[in-house]
Amino acid sequence: MQEVTLIIKNELGLHARCAAMVAKTASKAKGAVFLSASGNTADATDILDMLMLAPHAAQGMEISIAVQEASDAEILEELAALVEDGFGEY
């Protein structure tokens, strides 16, 4: 399993549009992809599951994204880029 820890940069945090972007990218993975915040973990392909993390993924908070398969390293990089780019909300 590979994992990155990131800081949410966009003002509104992890909201529906951001979760949809994560789910779209994560759905390209061959294995499972997880998003975690404050000790809670969600399936990164499930928008509603990720929205349960929204209170724990506000601006300035730390999240982790993990991919189960080594072959999904590129997907992990794409997801990290989304978060680091503030989901394009700058």
Side-chain angles (χ1 to χ4, degrees):
M1 182 175 287
Q2 298 177 48
E3 182 174 335
V4 294
T5 299
L6 305 154
I7 301 295
I8 295 290
K9 296 180 178 177
N10 61 313
E11 184 177 340
L12 298 176
L14 183 66
H15 56 79
R17 190 178 73 79
C18 301
M21 293 170 76
V22 170
K24 182 177 179 182
T25 302
S27 67
K28 296 186 293 184
K30 293 179 179 137
V33 182
F34 300 102
L35 192 150
S36 300
S38 298
N40 300 295
T41 301
D43 176 350
T45 62
D46 185 328
I47 295 170
L48 293 178
D49 201 22
M50 283 188 286
L51 289 178
M52 299 297 287
L53 298 179
H56 308 288
Q59 185 179 34
M61 298 184 92
E62 188 175 277
I63 65 166
S64 296
I65 302 173
V67 294
Q68 212 167 29
E69 301 291 330
S71 61
D72 290 327
E74 189 173 310
I75 300 297
L76 184 60
E77 289 177 16
E78 287 182 41
L79 291 166
L82 277 175
V83 175
E84 290 175 349
D85 187 41
F87 300 97
E89 294 183 355
Y90 295 124

